[in-house]
Amino acid sequence: MKPYVFITRKLPDEVVKPLLQNYEVSMWEQEDIPVPKDLLLSEAKKADALLTMLSDSIDEKVLTAGKKLKVVANLAVGFDNIDLKVASREGVAVCNTPDVLTDTTADLTFGLLMATARRLMEAAEFVKDGKWKSWSPLLLAGHDIHHKTIGIVGMGKIGETVAKRATGFEMNILYHNRTRKPAVEQELGAVYVSLDELVEKTDFIVCLTPLTSETKNMFTREMFKKMKQSAIFINAGRGPVVDEQALFDALVAGEIAGAGLDVFEKEPIGADHPLLQLPNVVALPHIGSSSVETRMEMMKLCLSNIQAGIEGNEPKTLVNKDWKPLVKA
């Protein structure tokens, strides 16, 4: 009997086809609707491998539903949706898709910064709504980006790549990270500072930190009050690192100038979300790595990880480094 692979979201046929040579494959046939939890549990009970999305909760119930599961390949660089401790205990390899999405996500992040600073979304809608009646000196005037100071919170590979983009605009670069990055400091002239100093001095605060117990609700109302009134906050990392009510209150009170968000505390959000009611907020549907080329590479990496995990080999991008394959029925 061929090993069984379940995919929790519809993927292109050309991506799935190579799997069919060696595995039995089933796929949730919806592109925009997450797989129901009861179906996920039913599939996990018989699966050797799961290809999952960041929106899927891969908890203890899923990881222990059956006796065959060997690998969970997450189609994302993040993996806070998976219980790593239980996965390691059960001998399940957990994999993500780093590196292949670094440049694409950095492009989106800097594009979001530019769109928010120069009020591009407002301006586009202004024209489409027929409101453009004449030219005026401060019509939809935004904020300059060149020669300003950018502060990057979370100087991982994506953060480093955003910093490279910033050098093209001759920006001053400050960063805060768990560890210093001397090579980045030397190459790009980035300066390591405390989080408090970063938010006080920068014109653009760019959050790219992963979600951990330490970073959850990192950006509080107190933190927003420390920012410049002209500051723009960009979050392309994880939604829950921001207290969204605090961000809303800070924007309404004029404590910061605007926000560009690709991630939210709970996704997806509805049109009635408070932050969407504000004209100085640019909101995107978590599309940081969403280019055709990059998403295809991410999918291929997931397939490679699945093959390795099923065969009992260490996957290329293993997350739970304490993983050891268990002999399973």
Side-chain angles (χ1 to χ4, degrees):
M1 182 180 294
K2 291 182 179 181
Y4 180 66
V5 178
F6 179 67
I7 303 172
T8 67
R9 201 66 60 90
K10 182 174 175 57
L11 301 183
D13 291 339
E14 62 266 34
V15 172
V16 178
K17 188 175 180 179
L19 276 179
L20 299 176
Q21 299 176 17
N22 300 306
Y23 308 117
E24 182 185 351
V25 179
S26 181
M27 180 167 57
W28 175 242
E29 291 291 335
Q30 298 290 334
E31 294 183 359
D32 302 320
I33 302 173
V35 60
K37 189 60 175 280
D38 58 347
L39 178 58
L40 177 58
L41 287 169
S42 175
E43 294 291 345
K45 189 173 182 179
K46 56 187 179 181
D48 294 88
L50 298 173
L51 197 162
T52 59
M53 309 296 128
L54 191 62
S55 55
D56 300 319
S57 176
I58 310 302
D59 54 17
E60 184 169 12
K61 287 185 178 180
V62 174
L63 292 165
T64 60
K67 298 180 179 179
K68 297 171 59 182
L69 189 61
K70 299 177 180 67
V71 57
V72 174
N74 217 36
L75 190 72
V77 68
F79 46 85
D80 48 86
N81 59 312
I82 303 172
D83 191 324
L84 293 183
K85 185 176 180 180
V86 171
S88 295
R89 185 191 74 200
E90 297 296 318
V92 177
V94 176
C95 317
N96 63 343
T97 57
D99 302 332
V100 296
L101 51 69
T102 297
D103 280 294
T104 301
T105 305
D107 287 348
L108 186 283
T109 302
F110 210 86
L112 181 57
L113 182 155
M114 295 178 69
T116 309
R118 294 300 305 272
R119 301 175 65 182
L120 298 186
M121 305 299 287
E122 285 182 84
E125 291 304 315
F126 187 82
V127 175
K128 289 182 178 180
D129 291 342
K131 296 179 180 178
W132 189 21
K133 304 302 182 183
S134 66
W135 184 91
S136 61
L138 290 176
L139 175 65
L140 290 160
H143 297 264
D144 278 336
I145 300 164
H146 61 276
H147 301 157
K148 293 293 185 72
T149 299
I150 185 173
I152 299 173
V153 182
M155 189 62 94
K157 292 181 179 179
I158 296 172
E160 292 177 21
T161 310
V162 169
K164 289 179 183 177
R165 306 291 188 269
T167 62
F169 287 76
E170 299 183 323
M171 301 181 81
N172 301 311
I173 303 168
L174 305 183
Y175 78 97
H176 180 75
N177 199 53
R178 284 181 298 179
T179 56
R180 290 188 65 164
K181 298 292 186 73
V184 177
E185 294 175 15
Q186 184 174 1
E187 178 186 359
L188 303 177
V191 177
Y192 176 83
V193 294
S194 68
L195 182 60
D196 283 343
E197 185 175 355
L198 183 146
V199 299
E200 290 171 3
K201 291 185 175 180
T202 53
D203 301 295
F204 298 94
I205 298 93
V206 178
C207 180
L208 290 163
T209 186
L211 177 62
T212 66
S213 58
E214 290 78 21
T215 62
K216 187 173 183 180
N217 284 331
M218 172 188 287
F219 286 94
T220 61
R221 184 69 187 281
E222 181 182 356
M223 193 67 69
F224 287 116
K225 286 181 177 180
K226 293 179 180 179
M227 297 178 187
K228 297 179 179 180
Q229 282 190 309
S230 58
I232 289 174
F233 178 75
I234 304 295
N235 189 10
R238 284 289 174 267
V241 304
V242 179
D243 180 335
E244 289 185 351
Q245 184 62 51
L247 174 58
F248 176 84
D249 292 341
L251 288 163
V252 170
E255 292 164 358
I256 61 173
L261 309 169
D262 187 42
V263 291
F264 294 85
E265 184 176 359
K266 293 181 180 179
E267 300 176 359
I269 61 172
D272 59 346
H273 192 288
L275 285 167
L276 300 189
Q277 314 313 311
L278 303 179
N280 53 346
V281 171
V282 175
L284 303 179
H286 202 151
I287 57 170
S289 62
S290 189
S291 71
V292 173
E293 299 90 339
T294 293
R295 286 289 168 87
M296 294 298 284
E297 286 301 313
M298 291 168 67
M299 293 173 198
K300 290 176 183 178
L301 179 54
C302 283
L303 301 190
S304 174
N305 284 328
I306 284 172
Q307 181 178 355
I310 286 178
E311 295 175 356
N313 300 320
E314 182 172 319
K316 182 178 180 180
T317 55
L318 181 70
V319 172
N320 51 337
K321 300 299 184 181
D322 57 345
W323 167 79
K324 292 182 180 179
L326 300 180
V327 177
K328 297 189 177 185

